[in-house]
């Protein structure tokens, strides 16, 4: 967390609409910077939970930031929108923008509903800011909605996209790579620059753009990172065919400063709440503009095939047939340090293995509840890592939780009925596995033959 200096001028008053991942983290961190924040949500149970000091999502450090700022009087929660915006200079829209099944575009119904509600509740000048990830042109539509609902309202529109990584969100907000503010209004720009002065005073960069450019920056960043993921996964597949080592290739590529090391780790494919949604939305933006995003289309195609490749690895490790065999699946979330299982490859693999007759015994430190909502009783849910491994016919490491990577391979060997590990995350090395007497299959590297065949 950053050491944010005291505000030199009067703190801003904010209303944050939505207490999901983006809204709650943003509201709490802006309160941490010294502003006065009211978070509003329509779900009474969620507001009651937050008022009681409970956090509805898992994000390391968030509970402490919320507690500290509630106690300091800078952060509070309500279901009353009119109360939330009563003194607000800035109204921040941070509601969900899920993928619309019909065409893959971002579903903006919640953004537009919030815009209508804000227009009806506001009675004084304010800057209305989109924090949610929205397609190009959304700011213009929000302006039209508000002007229609409240023609006499004096307001400005700005775009301020978030760049938060689940599991690292507090650090990402308090020590940002960049802060993007898009607006055509000098008044709004001044307000937003004052909002972020505690950060820019520390040297963090604020990039000032027009609204459409700000809206596109978030999509461009996420689709480019997704491209790196799909590219290195394709390279890993080639390595497996021709005998290369993807770890060496990633290191060699990443050493080039023009490329960088980030997002060059091979694995089961990207998932979560951002990359799948934002890549699809980027394709839709290109189609609508008659300028197809063909590279992004290829990225999506590579990623969609990834779960099937992972299942094929498991089936091969099981001797060509998983029927009746117990698979210890370690990890259900799309990445460690989150409870998010949205578009998690681990969940898709679990579902497919179960459909092929495997007995899937799954364990995740944080994601069991959400995974059960998706998988139901198709899999077994182990209470611990040890319980998942006990006498299983093989183990699949699907998420790189430290609990899994820090466990000695000798423990895997003792617990498993057959010493075979399929490592989607390259947590261990083939040499370590061979030394421990384990069969080992990873991504883009040489396999270690199992010391014994799986039972038929």
């Amino acid at each position: 967390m950053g050491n944010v200096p005291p505000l030199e001028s009067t703190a801003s008053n904010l209303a944050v609409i939505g207490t999901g991942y983006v809204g709650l983290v943003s509201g709490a961190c802006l309160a941490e910077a010294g502003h006065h924040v009211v978070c509003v949500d329509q779900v009474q149970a969620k507001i009651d939970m937050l008022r009681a000091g409970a956090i509805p999502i898992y994000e390391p450090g968030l509970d402490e930031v919320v507690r500290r700022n509630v106690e300091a009087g800078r952060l509070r929660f309500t279901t009353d929108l009119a109360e939330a915006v009563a003194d607000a200079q800035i109204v921040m829209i941070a509601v969900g923008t899920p993928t619309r099944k019909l065409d893959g575009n971002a579903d903006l119904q919640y953004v537009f509903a919030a815009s209508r509600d804000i227009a009806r509740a506001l009675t004084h000048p304010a800057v209305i800011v989109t924090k949610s990830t929205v397609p190009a042109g959304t700011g213009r539509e929000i302006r039209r909605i508000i002007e229609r609902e409240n023609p006499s309202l004096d307001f400005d529109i700005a775009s301020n996209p978030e760049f938060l990584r689940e599991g690292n969100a507090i650090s990402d907000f308090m020590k940002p790579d960049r802060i993007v503010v898009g607006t055509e209004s000098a008044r709004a720009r001044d307000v937003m620059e004052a909002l972020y002065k505690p950060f820019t005073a520390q040297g963090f960069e604020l990039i000032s753009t027009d609204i459409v450019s700000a809206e596109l920056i978030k999509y461009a960043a996420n689709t480019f990172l997704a491209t790196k993921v799909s590219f290195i996964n394709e390279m890993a597949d080639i390595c497996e065919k021709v005998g290369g080592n993807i770890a060496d290739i990633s290191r060699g590529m990443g050493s080039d400063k023009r490329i960088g090391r980030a997002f060059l780790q091979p694995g089961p494919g990207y998932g979560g709440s951002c990359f799948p949604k934002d890549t699809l939305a980027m394709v839709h933006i290109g189609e609508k503009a008659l300028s197809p995003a063909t590279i992004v289309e290829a990225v999506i195609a590579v990623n969609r095939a990834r779960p099937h490749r992972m299942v094929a690895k498991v089936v091969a490790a099981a001797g060509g047939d998983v029927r009746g065999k117990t698979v210890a699946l370690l990890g259900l979330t799309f990445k460690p340090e989150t409870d998010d299982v949205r578009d998690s490859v681990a969940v898709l693999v679990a579902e497919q293995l179960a459909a092929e007759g495997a007995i899937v015994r799954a364990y995740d430190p944080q994601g069991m509840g959400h995974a059960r909502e998706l998988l139901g009783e198709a899999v077994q849910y182990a209470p611990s890592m040890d319980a998942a491994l006990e006498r299983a016919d093989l183990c699949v490491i699907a998420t790189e939780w430290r609990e899994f990577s820090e466990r000695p391979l000798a423990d895997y060997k003792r617990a498993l009925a057959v010493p075979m590990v399929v490592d989607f995350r390259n947590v261990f090395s083939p040499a370590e596995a061979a030394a421990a007497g384990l069969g080992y299959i990873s991504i883009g590297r040489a396999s270690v033959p199992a010391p014994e065949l799986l039972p038929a």
Side-chain angles (χ1 to χ4, degrees):
M1 190 181 306
N3 297 315
V4 178
L7 290 169
E8 297 178 7
S9 58
T10 304
S12 299
N13 294 323
L14 286 87
V16 178
I17 314 301
T19 60
Y21 186 84
V22 172
L24 186 55
V25 171
S26 299
C29 289
L30 287 167
E32 182 79 356
H35 300 294
H36 300 290
V37 181
V38 182
C39 291
V40 60
D41 201 288
Q42 293 179 332
V43 181
Q44 184 69 55
K46 187 183 289 188
I47 294 300
D48 291 343
M49 180 184 294
L50 288 164
R51 285 174 172 171
I55 306 298
I57 59 174
Y58 176 76
E59 178 60 39
L62 180 58
D63 54 349
E64 176 60 24
V65 176
V66 170
R67 181 198 61 76
R68 182 164 55 247
N69 287 282
V70 168
E71 290 178 355
R74 292 189 297 266
L75 179 63
R76 57 192 179 90
F77 305 98
T78 184
T79 57
D80 188 335
L81 180 63
E83 174 196 346
V85 304
D87 298 315
Q89 302 155 278
I90 300 168
V91 182
M92 194 168 280
I93 299 173
V95 298
T97 54
T99 298
R100 193 165 59 191
K101 292 182 179 179
L102 180 64
D103 58 7
N105 193 25
D107 188 343
L108 298 177
Q109 62 173 309
Y110 306 111
V111 171
F112 294 153
S115 302
R116 288 190 292 271
D117 292 342
I118 291 165
R120 294 164 186 166
L122 267 178
T123 58
H124 61 273
V127 179
I128 298 167
V129 180
T130 51
K131 197 70 174 172
S132 304
T133 302
V134 296
T138 302
R140 289 194 294 266
E141 183 58 29
I142 291 173
R143 174 174 290 282
R144 282 194 289 268
I145 290 170
I146 294 172
E147 288 175 342
R148 184 175 63 243
E149 296 291 333
N150 191 345
S152 63
L153 183 65
D154 182 11
F155 71 98
D156 295 300
I157 297 292
S159 173
N160 176 216
E162 53 85 15
F163 300 96
L164 305 177
R165 296 170 298 163
E166 294 188 44
N168 298 276
I170 304 301
S171 176
D172 286 347
F173 199 103
M174 302 306 291
K175 297 181 178 181
D177 291 332
R178 74 292 203 194
I179 301 161
V180 175
V181 172
T183 184
E184 279 78 41
S185 161
R187 178 175 63 175
R189 198 172 307 283
D190 289 344
V191 169
M192 295 301 290
E193 287 178 356
L195 176 71
Y196 284 109
K197 190 170 183 180
F199 301 89
T200 55
Q202 299 178 80
F204 298 116
E205 182 183 16
L206 189 150
I207 299 171
S208 183
T209 75
D210 60 87
I211 292 177
V212 171
S213 295
E215 291 169 338
L216 281 172
I217 283 170
K218 174 62 184 292
Y219 284 113
N222 276 358
T223 52
F224 184 76
L225 294 176
T227 300
K228 292 184 76 173
V229 172
S230 284
F231 177 85
I232 203 65
N233 283 338
E234 282 199 324
M235 289 301 302
D237 293 342
I238 292 171
C239 283
E240 291 175 10
K241 298 294 186 182
V242 303
N245 186 328
I246 194 61
D248 294 336
I249 292 169
S250 295
R251 183 180 177 187
M253 288 178 60
S255 297
D256 188 327
K257 294 181 176 61
R258 297 169 300 174
I259 298 173
R261 297 181 186 275
F263 290 84
L264 287 182
Q265 294 74 42
Y270 60 75
S273 62
C274 290
F275 285 10
K277 174 174 68 72
D278 293 351
T279 49
L280 286 170
M282 190 73 251
V283 167
H284 185 272
I285 291 168
E287 290 173 345
K288 187 176 179 181
L290 301 181
S291 183
T294 52
I295 291 175
V296 183
E297 290 173 354
V299 166
I300 294 169
V302 170
N303 202 63
R304 281 179 172 163
R306 207 71 191 152
H308 305 294
R309 286 184 174 275
M310 298 302 103
V311 169
K313 281 181 176 289
V314 177
V315 172
D321 191 354
V322 293
R323 285 177 294 180
K325 291 171 181 172
T326 300
V327 177
L329 182 66
L330 301 183
L332 290 163
T333 54
F334 83 97
K335 63 181 286 187
E337 299 302 331
T338 180
D339 61 354
D340 196 345
V341 299
R342 284 175 287 183
D343 284 301
S344 170
V345 176
V347 170
L348 297 174
V349 168
E351 184 177 56
Q352 194 167 332
L353 287 173
E356 294 193 18
I359 302 165
V360 180
R361 194 192 296 153
Y363 168 71
D364 189 281
Q366 293 294 333
M368 301 280 271
H370 291 314
R372 189 186 291 269
E373 294 171 5
L374 297 177
L375 292 169
E377 301 309 313
V379 307
Q380 299 175 3
Y381 301 94
S384 66
M385 176 181 174
D386 289 330
L389 289 172
E390 186 62 30
R391 306 306 298 164
D393 293 310
L394 74 159
C395 168
V396 175
I397 301 174
T399 312
E400 64 272 36
W401 286 94
R402 288 179 61 186
E403 180 179 353
F404 308 152
S405 61
E406 292 179 352
R407 183 65 67 91
L409 281 171
D411 289 356
Y412 286 83
K413 174 79 181 311
R414 280 192 293 269
L416 292 166
V418 178
M420 172 59 72
V421 173
V422 181
D423 185 356
F424 291 170
R425 300 291 184 170
N426 289 2
V427 169
F428 300 107
S429 71
E432 290 174 312
L438 282 166
Y440 183 75
I441 297 173
S442 58
I443 306 295
R445 303 184 298 183
S447 298
V448 178
E452 58 184 277
L453 293 175
L454 287 168

